Each structure stands twice: as structure tokens, then as C-alpha cells.
Amino acid sequence: APLAMCGRVRSTLGADQVAAASGGAAWKNPDQYEPRYNASPGASLAVIRRAESGESTSDRVVETMRFGLVPSFTDPGAKVDFYRMFNARSETIAEKGVFSRLLQQRRGVVLINGFYEWAAERAGSSQVKQPYYLHLEGKGGGSEGDVLRCAALYDRWKGGGGGDLVTVTIITVEASEPLRWLHDRMPAVLRTDEDVAAWLEGADDRPSSALRPYGEADMKWYPVTTRMNRGDFEDPSCCERTRRVAEKDAGSVAKLFSAAANKDEATGEKKPPGEKKPTGEKKRPGETPPAVTGSGGVKRAKPSPGGGGAQ
């Protein structure tokens, strides 16, 4: 089965960003939104949904929801598992009852800054899970980037004893061609206002044409710190560009051999014929997928922690 996709996101939006991305929709409960650079299932996310009758003068509202669907039919008092259904595959949402019942009245659009994915990369004699941060480039070329709007489904559970628990699952589609080196799934990005409207205003259980891979040039990515491999790591450096571990390792080895070569020259020791010094690996731009090589190279890797979620 394909690995789970979009289980770690950056969710640090300001009220002005949410307002701009939602078309000025009223935010019902911004006090429940807790910004996180490394948000995993259970975290709070800002979600656009259709307004209920008499709820707003607009046809849309924004509501803070918890990441990871807990169906309304979950037994009262049951232990909540946000990791069970944090993603839903677009190809099967109309066939699975847990999702198809939500298609008519409970469609949403999750608002995030970006998301993370992992690749297994060769670093010396071992492999490391190298995290990458994926985001949209801002229309003005700004570093903050545009808000990612992702198709979603939400539900309300009344069995928790503390009021309604409102939860959401992010819908995934096949990865676009530029991202397939990293993963075979990606969030269903709704890039235009027309796509957002087509998804939110749909009222049947047929798959929407808005749910499709997004691979335009404004989707960017770059490597970030391996401290992201810990689900509890929370810091602005989560999404800061860094050098890949494999690149650092190659550079260190090159320096080691360079130092040895200098020592040989100083002592007059001759090197065996044909022996060459290894060179450091060239830095690959974050927007360029690493090439896959025969023995090592790059493989898709499952993020840690968080094993399930794709239904």
C-alpha cells in the first residue's frame, strides 16, 4: 500500500493570511488555533467550510478543527485516535462509507503554510531519513509564500464529554510528476478560487474534478533539519533551508582525504598510481529532485512517527 501522505504540516498562519485565503470569511474560534511549525495529527488547523443556516451573513466560515478524522459514529467515551484517518484517498472517498456520507454536507478546505515529506538518502555507509519542506512560492516572490489550500472532509463527534470534537482529514491524490521522486501521493491542492468553490459547493458523492495533482512551477521544496524526524520537535528551524545530511557527509569525507593528501605532499610520500581524491557532493537546489543512483541514491521514506492515516 502507498505510504501515508501529508501527516506533518506547518500551520503557523496569522489572522490576515487566513482572511485572505478564505475570501474574508469569519473565523469562528481563532482562540482554539495553536500555531505549530511541526503539526501532526491531533494539532489544530484552520478550515474553510460552508456556513450553516443562520450562522453567518456569508456563505462560508472558517473553523479551527483537529487534524485527523474522528467519525461522528465513534462510540461515546472511546479513546480518540487522530492518526487513524488523517488522510483520505480521492479515488475511494465516494466508495467508503466513512467518507462518502460527508461529501454532501461536510466538505472543507484546510489552510496550511506547507507540508513535509521524507526521502531515504545515502550518507556514507548508512541511510538517513532526510526531511523536505514543500510550499507554494508567493505571487510576489516573497519567502513566506502563498497559503496552501487543500481539499478536506470534516465531522463532528459528540461523544467526548467536553462538547463537540470537530476533526478533519486531508484528501490526497497521486503525486504530480515533479514530486514523484519523493512520494507517490500529495495533498489535493486547490490553487484557484474557482477550485475552492467547485469543491466546497459540490453536493454529490461523485469525485470532483478539482481533486487533481498539482505540479506547477510555484510548488517549491528544500531540505530541512533532521530534527524534524522527531514528532515533538517544535521550532521555527523546522522549515528553514539547510544542507542535506548526505551532502554534509560527502563534504566531510572530501576534507579528510584532502588533509591526508596535504600531509603526503609535506612528507614527500607518493600516492599509489591511479588513486584519486574523492570530491564533495555538489549542493542540489531544493527545487531540483536528487537523482536516483544505482546502489545508494534516494528512496522515498516513511516519516517518523505516524504510521497510518491513509484510508
Side-chain angles (χ1 to χ4, degrees):
L3 301 179
M5 182 60 191
C6 203
R8 272 321 167 79
V9 304
R10 176 187 169 192
S11 177
T12 61
L13 299 172
D16 55 338
Q17 291 173 294
V18 171
S22 65
W27 195 349
K28 289 173 57 70
N29 52 350
D31 56 307
Q32 295 182 25
Y33 182 74
E34 298 179 5
R36 287 186 63 85
Y37 288 95
N38 184 11
S40 54
S44 60
L45 302 177
V47 184
I48 309 171
R49 63 168 175 81
R50 287 185 294 188
E52 297 171 3
S53 178
E55 183 179 28
S56 172
T57 55
S58 170
D59 59 348
R60 297 178 189 172
V61 296
V62 175
E63 184 169 3
T64 304
M65 304 182 185
R66 302 286 292 277
F67 184 19
L69 193 77
V70 178
S72 59
F73 54 76
T74 302
D75 292 338
K79 183 179 179 180
V80 172
D81 183 3
F82 294 110
Y83 280 87
R84 188 180 174 199
M85 285 182 279
F86 58 79
N87 285 166
R89 294 168 60 87
S90 63
E91 297 89 344
T92 57
I93 54 175
E95 302 167 9
K96 295 192 173 185
V98 67
F99 301 130
S100 63
R101 65 192 175 85
L102 305 175
L103 281 170
Q104 291 191 14
Q105 299 293 332
R106 293 194 168 170
R107 299 186 183 202
V109 177
V110 165
L111 305 178
I112 55 176
N113 305 77
F115 62 98
Y116 302 93
E117 192 46 63
W118 280 252
E121 299 186 3
R122 180 77 67 186
S125 60
S126 60
Q127 281 197 336
V128 63
K129 287 183 177 179
Q130 175 64 58
Y132 287 82
Y133 177 59
L134 299 93
H135 67 102
L136 288 175
E137 186 176 50
K139 289 184 174 67
S143 59
E144 185 62 28
D146 286 354
V147 175
L148 261 174
R149 299 181 291 187
C150 305
L153 295 168
Y154 71 95
D155 209 355
R156 298 182 185 275
W157 180 53
K158 300 179 181 294
D164 288 5
L165 176 65
V166 189
T167 59
V168 65
T169 183
I170 295 176
I171 296 174
T172 66
V173 295
E174 286 188 356
S176 60
E177 195 280 329
L179 299 182
R180 286 176 194 158
W181 67 274
L182 186 57
H183 206 285
D184 54 6
R185 307 292 297 177
M186 69 178 296
V189 176
L190 304 172
R191 191 63 175 107
T192 67
D193 293 340
E194 290 75 21
D195 285 340
V196 170
W199 171 247
L200 283 179
E201 295 166 11
D204 55 44
D205 57 5
R206 293 192 303 272
S208 170
S209 60
L211 305 182
R212 58 185 183 273
Y214 186 78
E216 299 303 316
D218 58 356
M219 177 66 78
K220 304 294 185 181
W221 60 89
Y222 53 81
V224 293
T225 175
T226 53
R227 287 181 291 177
M228 275 294 300
N229 294 347
R230 286 173 34 212
D232 60 354
F233 179 66
E234 177 60 29
D235 188 82
S237 65
C238 286
C239 56
E240 291 177 0
R241 183 191 296 267
T242 188
R243 293 174 66 196
R244 297 163 47 246
V245 173
E247 181 186 341
K248 293 177 184 177
D249 182 81
S252 298
V253 172
K255 288 180 181 178
L256 198 66
F257 276 83
S258 178
N262 291 336
K263 183 178 179 181
D264 290 344
E265 291 172 4
T267 59
E269 182 179 343
K270 293 184 178 180
K271 300 176 75 64
E275 185 175 334
K276 295 181 179 180
K277 294 182 297 181
T279 57
E281 182 179 341
K282 292 183 179 179
K283 183 174 182 180
R284 291 188 285 246
E287 291 78 16
T288 303
V292 177
T293 57
S295 57
V298 178
K299 296 180 180 178
R300 293 186 298 237
K302 190 174 184 177
S304 300
Q311 297 290 321

